[in-house]
Amino acid sequence: MVKHRSSSRLSSSSARFFSRKAVPLYLIFIFAFTIWILVFTSRNIQTDDQTQDHQQNHQHRDSRKNLQKKRSEDLDSQLWTPPFSYGLHPCVKPSSRYKEFIESDRYITVRSNGGLNQMRTGIADMVAVAHIMNATLVIPELDKRSFWRDSSVFSDIFDEEHFIKSLGRDVKVIKKLPKEVESLPRARKHFTSWASVGYYEEMTHLWKEYKVIHVAKSDSRLANNDLPIDIQRLRCRVLYRGLRFSPPIETLGQKLVERLKSRAGRFIALHLRYEKDMLAFTGCTYGLTDAESEELRVMRESTSHWKIKSINSTEQRVEGLCPLTPKEVGIFLKGLGYPESTVIYIAAGEIYGGDDRLLDLKSRFPNLVFKETLAGEEELEGFTGHATKTAALDYIISVESDVFVPSHSGNMARAVEGHRRFLGHRRTITPDRKGLVKLFDKVERGQMKEGAKFSNLVKAMHQDRQGAPRRRKGPAQGIKGRARFRTEEAFYENPYPECICSSKEHKEP
């Protein structure tokens, strides 16, 4: 009995002992399990966080790439894409009121004056004059006495047969005077500049005494504004459709355009008006040596038809009347944002000072291309010594370029700009020379550096000088009389609105 009780107490003690032991083991198990859960959960959370961070970083990189791509596209658009043209298109067809020419035995002969584009616009004017005066036009004689001394005749430069045929409804054009009138006396006239239709209607009184009128000067013979729309459209038909270049010039010009585009994809045509005659005529000697300045002065004073002899070069430059130097053009284009790799075709004659004068431009834009490097010697054989022919090549390439930049607002610059507007307002950047000179001088004096600030100022200055559609500018305020005509924007520089119509009007083929 005692033994049984003793044994019972021992079992009870053992049970209590093991029961006490089991409690901490259970707690240890619970604790360990809890730790494992925490570690596992923490690892999952960390993995999720890492995944989320990775996704966010990836999205951030994508967003950054997209932003960079958009900025690149925006910059690309600002540099190369034509301005928005609002659906405008060429319109040169005559109106229903237009009167076709009537066969006439009265004749107008013309001696064109100036360089290629001065002659082109002058010929267009004289076709319109012949139409107004109801006269037969004899193929114009080209200028052989200008600075270039080019012996080319009309058919060397223009497609003569096309010219005659294309104007069949507007005016009768013949190659030379009939024999029966060759020896007759002629009225020799210097028609007034920027004349109205009324002026030429009055000039028809000459037909009472003469059968032939010889016009000794052809440029700017018609007003820019306030002419009947059919006369304005006739001028456009002549310039943009009738005066097609001769087949050899047209063929080589288009070949050179194709070569430029295949080489670069896109390119700038820079009309670098830095030839000897331009610098002498304008009196601009900035950056030249004393010997060069003196050479230009002598040339200006010895050229009889240049009326102004004494010119202050500094004042000319400050007023923005000088062509940009090659160095200034390089600073300007870089300021606009064009990259160093940009291909630039130099549309120009012989640069005054030669290759040395191009070194600063070439240091910023090494890919300069000239017609002499783009075409072979054999291809240029018929062009050597004929400045009018080579100017025609420059004209074709300039019109077809992705961007056209003239360093000075001369006849070619105005003619090319007008043609590019006519063809759809292709990007044409007209430098604000007066504003740029102020910036250039600050850089030269050390008051400003070429960089972001300079670039932003250049871009802002030229925001509205990219060839976007706008109506032709009238005369400057406060100027009266005939002097106002000189301040007007030339018709051939911007033939809008007469020859460029809105999308509401029927689009011509």
Side-chain angles (χ1 to χ4, degrees):
M1 181 75 176
V2 174
K3 188 178 180 181
H4 177 72
R5 284 178 184 170
S6 178
S7 192
S8 177
R9 281 198 299 271
L10 184 60
S11 288
S12 177
S13 297
S14 297
R16 283 197 300 272
F17 173 78
F18 284 111
S19 176
R20 288 193 204 102
K21 276 276 192 181
V23 171
L25 286 173
Y26 175 74
L27 290 174
I28 290 170
F29 174 77
I30 293 295
F31 179 74
F33 182 73
T34 303
I35 293 297
W36 182 81
I37 291 294
L38 288 171
V39 170
F40 180 79
T41 305
S42 173
R43 186 180 298 169
N44 284 343
I45 290 171
Q46 189 175 9
T47 302
D48 289 344
D49 287 345
Q50 288 175 345
T51 302
Q52 190 173 2
D53 289 344
H54 178 74
Q55 289 174 343
Q56 287 177 345
N57 289 336
H58 186 70
Q59 289 173 353
H60 180 67
R61 284 197 300 271
D62 286 348
S63 176
R64 191 167 54 192
K65 284 181 180 178
N66 290 335
L67 182 60
Q68 289 174 343
K69 183 180 179 182
K70 187 177 185 307
R71 284 176 179 171
S72 177
E73 288 174 350
D74 288 346
L75 178 61
D76 193 76
S77 176
Q78 291 169 14
L79 295 176
W80 299 101
T81 306
F84 186 64
S85 62
Y86 302 94
L88 296 171
H89 58 84
C91 51
V92 296
K93 284 186 176 179
S95 71
S96 57
R97 300 183 300 276
Y98 183 67
K99 294 180 180 179
E100 296 184 10
F101 85 94
I102 301 171
E103 193 77 30
S104 170
D105 61 351
R106 297 153 180 166
Y107 303 90
I108 290 179
T109 61
V110 179
R111 189 183 76 79
S112 301
N113 62 292
L116 171 68
N117 291 286
Q118 197 171 347
M119 289 192 290
R120 287 178 70 247
T121 55
I123 291 168
D125 278 4
M126 295 316 302
V127 169
V129 168
H131 178 85
I132 295 166
M133 297 184 69
N134 193 33
T136 296
L137 178 69
V138 180
I139 287 289
E141 177 188 349
L142 301 189
D143 191 343
K144 297 179 177 63
R145 296 182 293 179
S146 64
F147 172 78
W148 298 277
R149 303 284 181 182
D150 193 336
S151 61
S152 299
V153 297
F154 190 94
S155 59
D156 293 328
I157 308 300
F158 304 109
D159 187 335
E160 191 172 74
E161 298 301 328
H162 172 78
F163 179 72
I164 294 170
K165 185 178 179 180
S166 66
L167 299 173
R169 295 177 57 192
D170 305 300
V171 65
K172 184 176 181 179
V173 181
I174 58 176
K175 295 183 180 181
K176 58 182 182 179
L177 281 170
K179 288 184 179 180
E180 60 269 23
V181 297
E182 274 185 346
S183 58
L184 295 178
R186 306 176 189 185
R188 298 183 180 275
K189 287 294 297 181
H190 280 81
F191 289 137
T192 189
S193 302
W194 302 296
S196 65
V197 168
Y199 170 83
Y200 287 106
E201 289 174 342
E202 290 178 10
M203 287 295 104
T204 58
H205 76 269
L206 292 170
W207 297 134
K208 295 176 182 178
E209 295 183 43
Y210 301 95
K211 280 198 170 186
V212 182
I213 297 174
H214 177 69
V215 182
K217 194 175 182 181
S218 61
D219 69 315
S220 304
R221 297 306 103 179
L222 275 171
N224 294 308
N225 302 300
D226 302 320
L227 295 181
I229 191 168
D230 277 322
I231 295 300
Q232 298 288 57
R233 289 187 176 182
L234 173 55
R235 297 167 87 184
C236 289
R237 285 200 298 281
V238 179
L239 197 64
Y240 304 133
R241 304 279 172 84
L243 279 172
R244 191 165 68 188
F245 291 115
S246 64
I249 293 175
E250 195 69 37
T251 300
L252 182 56
Q254 293 303 330
K255 277 184 183 178
L256 299 186
V257 170
E258 290 170 10
R259 287 174 194 172
L260 277 165
K261 288 190 177 292
S262 64
R263 176 184 297 188
R266 54 196 181 186
F267 67 96
I268 292 174
L270 170 61
H271 183 43
L272 190 57
R273 199 67 172 93
Y274 209 75
E275 298 99 339
K276 184 178 180 180
D277 67 304
M278 171 54 70
L279 297 177
F281 177 74
T282 57
C284 296
T285 60
Y286 173 76
L288 302 182
T289 65
D290 290 341
E292 288 172 328
S293 299
E294 177 62 16
E295 182 182 31
L296 296 179
R297 184 192 65 78
V298 170
M299 180 182 179
R300 182 171 62 256
E301 291 190 356
S302 62
T303 305
S304 58
H305 60 275
W306 290 352
K307 297 178 181 178
I308 302 175
K309 303 299 182 182
S310 179
I311 299 175
N312 185 313
S313 178
T314 302
E315 289 179 2
Q316 284 281 95
R317 183 171 177 270
V318 169
E319 289 300 315
L321 301 175
C322 288
L324 298 180
T325 68
K327 179 181 178 179
E328 289 172 338
V329 171
I331 297 172
F332 169 58
L333 292 176
K334 187 178 178 181
L336 286 174
Y338 285 98
E340 184 181 356
S341 59
T342 301
V343 171
I344 300 176
Y345 174 79
I346 304 297
E350 184 178 353
I351 300 300
Y352 189 59
D355 291 341
D356 288 347
R357 187 110 319 128
L358 294 171
L359 290 177
D360 284 306
L361 172 60
K362 200 164 188 177
S363 69
R364 291 174 171 82
F365 296 96
N367 295 319
L368 301 183
V369 182
F370 302 83
K371 63 180 77 66
E372 292 81 7
T373 58
L374 199 57
E377 287 185 16
E378 291 183 1
E379 290 177 309
L380 291 174
E381 190 175 347
F383 292 79
T384 305
H386 297 281
T388 309
K389 287 185 178 181
T390 55
L393 291 178
D394 284 342
Y395 184 89
I396 292 170
I397 295 170
S398 296
V399 168
E400 296 298 330
S401 65
D402 297 278
V403 177
F404 175 65
V405 180
S407 67
H408 190 260
S409 55
N411 291 307
M412 176 164 167
R414 289 193 290 269
V416 171
E417 179 178 351
H419 202 159
R420 288 172 68 86
R421 287 181 178 279
F422 180 78
L423 292 173
H425 292 89
R426 297 172 179 177
R427 188 171 292 278
T428 301
I429 304 174
T430 308
D432 179 355
R433 296 189 303 278
K434 187 173 181 178
L436 285 171
V437 163
K438 294 177 182 177
L439 295 182
F440 294 150
D441 287 349
K442 284 185 178 180
V443 172
E444 191 171 334
R445 291 193 296 264
Q447 297 172 341
M448 183 182 292
K449 292 183 178 180
E450 291 181 54
K453 182 181 178 181
F454 177 86
S455 182
N456 289 335
L457 289 171
V458 171
K459 290 175 183 177
M461 189 183 294
H462 293 85
Q463 189 174 358
D464 297 323
R465 302 176 72 93
Q466 307 272 334
R470 59 169 175 78
R471 287 177 173 267
R472 193 167 55 255
K473 295 175 183 176
Q477 290 183 347
I479 300 179
K480 297 180 180 180
R482 293 191 57 78
R484 73 185 189 278
F485 295 132
R486 291 189 178 276
T487 68
E488 293 178 336
E489 186 174 24
F491 172 73
Y492 296 116
E493 185 176 359
N494 183 7
Y496 180 47
E498 296 93 339
C499 300
I500 300 173
C501 299
S502 69
S503 56
K504 294 178 182 178
E505 300 178 60
H506 177 66
K507 192 170 183 177
E508 296 176 8

